[in-house]
Amino acid sequence: MQRRRVISQVSLAVGLVGPGAVGKALLEQLRVAIPKLQREGINLEVRSILNANQMLLAKEQATLDLSNWDEDLIAKGSDASLGVMTEHLKASDAPHRVIIDCTPSAVVPRFYPKWMEQGIHVVTPNKRLNSGPFAAYSAVKSLQASGAAHYMYEGTVGAGLPIISTLKNMLDTGDDAFSGTLAGTLSYIFNTLKPSDKFSEVVWGARRRGYTEPDLNEDLGGVDSTRKITTLARECGMQLEMGDVQTESLIPASMGGPANLQQFMAELAKGDEDWSRRLQEVEDAGEVIRFIGSYDAESGVCQVGPRRILRSHPLASLTGTEIMVSFTTARYSSPSLVIRGPGAGPAVTASGVFGDIIRLARYLGAHS
């Protein structure tokens, strides 16, 4: 007689901060997947959604209706308060609680230690904590190591690609990561750009498609890529700050201080002819330009910026929003271990966050 397998049920009360492009995509993925996950023993109760001004809390019902949460947020939402949201989540009957930070905010990560000290897990694609002041990063990692709560952040590097989890696995099994190379979030721009194109128009195209950060300075200044390299280097044990990374900006020095988007694009367009000449020179030499970040564990040097590479180089074959990370280690040296795939866009970033939520449920006892 065949025994029926008993599926252990794991319930998580979920609070989402930042229902912007990535957060909205994640909520839609959750809406579709929750019924299937329940059959697999994972019960996700979305108890709160909070943006900069308003929040929506599940009160009478166990979970919010994800089919029209955006309308409910406007019609039924109250003033946003991370403190009130936290207490509401703690009051849930679910045995486990997780807050998902889908913002690019530097403020929200300040709450991570407080949440984790209260046993609330944190899942995020927000790069600020992992690349911010080392002391704050170290404090959260210490809380994680103590077993206070899980802290998961696959989506901070490479959107939905398994870059951090792969690196962790290599380090955990005693394979020191020797070097890594990352074509950052500017992949689309340099994978698309040709001498006949206007640099500013390609940048604007990337923005219209939702590939850039909300603040273009993050991308074109190399800040976003520097955050990713800092995160990877810290995973390898480096105690460095972002300022230790040698970063070359694409923003003209003449641009000066902060500007609104229209002014920014107008200033950027002034360099279109220079970029066309530069790209023609590179093409005539049988090369391409890619925006590359690298970390060498032996020397400890981290670099980010545009680099000329031969057309035969693996990075030269990238298209669209593809990125490629190459790990060269004691076990993976000839050839290196390569991870390649789409590295920008709300849907793929949300899928990386969703993957962390599922892994969290497995850690908490859900059937794998």
Side-chain angles (χ1 to χ4, degrees), residues 118-194:
Q118 298 175 75
I120 300 174
H121 310 290
V122 176
V123 175
T124 185
N126 187 332
K127 306 174 188 71
R128 297 282 184 159
L129 189 282
N130 287 1
S131 60
F134 187 81
Y137 164 81
S138 181
V140 167
K141 295 292 282 186
S142 294
L143 281 169
Q144 180 186 32
S146 72
H150 290 285
Y151 170 54
M152 309 186 75
Y153 44 90
E154 184 72 70
T156 59
V157 178
L161 297 177
I163 293 171
I164 290 177
S165 55
T166 300
L167 177 57
K168 282 183 175 180
N169 183 63
M170 290 192 297
L171 295 170
D172 288 345
T173 56
D175 194 8
D176 292 331
F178 178 75
S179 65
T181 304
L182 169 68
T185 55
L186 288 166
S187 287
Y188 173 83
I189 293 171
F190 285 102
N191 294 344
T192 304
L193 196 60
K194 298 183 291 295

Side-chain angles (χ1 to χ4, degrees), residues 283-305:
E283 185 174 270
D284 292 343
E287 299 174 337
V288 297
I289 295 178
R290 292 292 183 264
F291 201 84
I292 298 173
S294 64
Y295 161 63
D296 188 312
E298 185 174 7
S299 66
V301 173
C302 296
Q303 296 178 318
V304 168

Side-chain angles (χ1 to χ4, degrees), residues 229-277:
I229 290 300
T230 301
T231 297
L232 292 177
R234 286 178 173 179
E235 287 294 322
C236 294
M238 288 287 291
Q239 296 186 19
L240 81 165
E241 302 288 354
M242 276 187 64
D244 298 325
V245 180
Q246 301 171 22
T247 302
E248 182 180 346
S249 173
L250 299 177
I251 300 174
S254 60
M255 192 169 290
N260 62 41
L261 182 59
Q262 186 176 1
Q263 292 171 331
F264 186 97
M265 295 306 303
E267 286 295 318
L268 199 65
K270 293 178 181 179
D272 284 345
E273 290 186 8
D274 288 340
W275 269 109
S276 292
R277 285 193 294 269

